[in-house]
Amino acid sequence: MFSTTITVVDGYPRTLAEGMRSLFPTLRLGARCAHAIWLVLGCTLGGVLIFQFRDNPNSLPTLVDIVTVIAFLTGPFFAGLNHAVVFGKHMPEASKPGKAMWMLSWASLIFLTVFTVIYIAARWVFQLI
């Protein structure tokens, strides 16, 4: 678990930084600056979640539920970043997937977005009842 955590803490912000730089080229952020932003943001949010649940040993299921919901809700955003990087101008033409994969990528983005909206609407409706 320790090596997985280190890999995620290092690699995930790098991937997000490149995606952010591809989506928003007018921000003029350097690679290190964008990486630092995602690293600090991720570690801060992770630390807040862990410290929020540290006192009660029975709160692990609640923590897992919160992390699962966050991962589900951020899926369309991260899929959009991935799409922008893979099909963007920074990827060499020889390495880009074909038209079928481009269409599958868009279909997946739509699928993720629709189900995220359904999930949010269902949670909102059930809280009203």
Side-chain angles (χ1 to χ4, degrees), residues 11-25 29-32 34-35 38 81-82 84-86 90-91:
Y12 208 54
R14 290 180 195 274
T15 305
L16 293 174
E18 285 303 314
M20 187 172 73
R21 288 177 53 205
S22 293
L23 279 178
F24 309 107
L29 286 175
R32 284 187 175 186
H35 177 257
W38 283 109
L81 286 178
N82 185 52
V85 169
V86 171
H90 299 293
M91 180 74 75

Side-chain angles (χ1 to χ4, degrees), residues 54-78:
R54 75 178 185 269
D55 293 333
N56 185 357
N58 296 325
S59 65
L60 184 61
T62 304
L63 176 63
V64 171
D65 287 344
I66 289 172
V67 171
T68 303
V69 168
I70 290 171
F72 179 74
L73 294 178
T74 58
F77 173 73
F78 293 129

Side-chain angles (χ1 to χ4, degrees), residues 63-123:
L63 176 63
V64 171
D65 287 344
I66 289 172
V67 171
T68 303
V69 168
I70 290 171
F72 179 74
L73 294 178
T74 58
F77 173 73
F78 293 129
L81 286 178
N82 185 52
H83 178 86
V85 169
V86 171
F87 293 101
K89 63 183 177 185
H90 299 293
M91 180 74 75
E93 287 297 324
S95 300
K96 287 184 182 180
K99 185 73 170 175
M101 191 59 72
W102 182 84
M103 292 187 324
L104 181 62
S105 178
W106 272 109
S108 299
L109 280 169
I110 293 167
F111 178 84
L112 284 171
T113 303
V114 166
F115 275 95
T116 299
V117 169
I118 290 171
Y119 176 79
I120 291 170
R123 294 280 294 199

